[in-house]
Amino acid sequence: MDMISGGRFGMIALLDKKLLILTPPKCGSTSLHTYLCQHVDSVFIIGPQLDGRIDKHTGRIPFDFRNYKRYLVVRNPYTRFISLYKHHLLFNQYKSVDEFIKTYHKNPFNQNISDVYKIQFNYWKLENLSQCLKDAGISYKVPLLNESEERSEGLTLEQKIKISQWAKPDCESFNYDFFEK
């Protein structure tokens, strides 16, 4: 198995296209897994987690898929941060966004995408996913199931600046403007 530099990605292998779609946490993995695995000739790949469980985000590419063309799905780091925060709120892990900002970088689930992908990947932006799939010969429009409704979430400028420090590597790697609306 190939290991992806400590990162955890969901993976879908599109068998007829010999294409592997890697989805980091909070980058459309639920939407892609739910939709593509029902509508195209694909395999949903699960694998080992940091705690030893088997689940949908893994860092290991099975041997049979090592020669597939790989696409990494990325997301605007700001909306990804909001989605990560909302995800952690579901489990009452934080009392406030300030508490989350102080500690989120310690959780491997919250890693910057650019920090863990050391292998060069082609990438697709979640915001343009339907067009990316179409360009790859997949004519389905994937509905985004957990899409954030509001961008700002009432964050202060100070909070946004702290988050932007975490987001900088992904903004630079994937051509995002952090404060873009």
Side-chain angles (χ1 to χ4, degrees), residues 7-24:
R8 297 289 178 260
F9 299 89
M11 289 181 232
I12 303 164
L14 304 181
L15 304 175
D16 60 335
K17 306 262 184 226
K18 295 222 176 264
L19 188 85
L20 192 62
I21 302 173
L22 297 103
T23 55

Side-chain angles (χ1 to χ4, degrees), residues 24-27 75-85 88 100-116 158-174 178:
K26 311 316 292 175
C27 289
R75 181 179 187 177
N76 181 298
Y78 184 81
T79 57
R80 182 169 180 256
F81 177 88
I82 297 298
S83 187
L84 286 166
Y85 175 60
H88 288 293
F100 184 62
I101 288 170
K102 287 178 189 172
T103 60
Y104 64 91
H105 61 281
K106 296 176 184 174
N107 183 334
F109 187 76
N110 302 338
Q111 290 173 300
N112 286 347
I113 298 167
S114 57
D115 286 347
V116 295
E158 182 182 344
Q159 290 169 330
K160 289 178 183 179
I161 289 170
K162 287 178 183 176
I163 297 165
S164 73
Q165 294 165 356
W166 166 80
K168 185 177 180 181
D170 284 355
C171 288
E172 291 173 351
S173 294
F174 306 117
F178 181 76

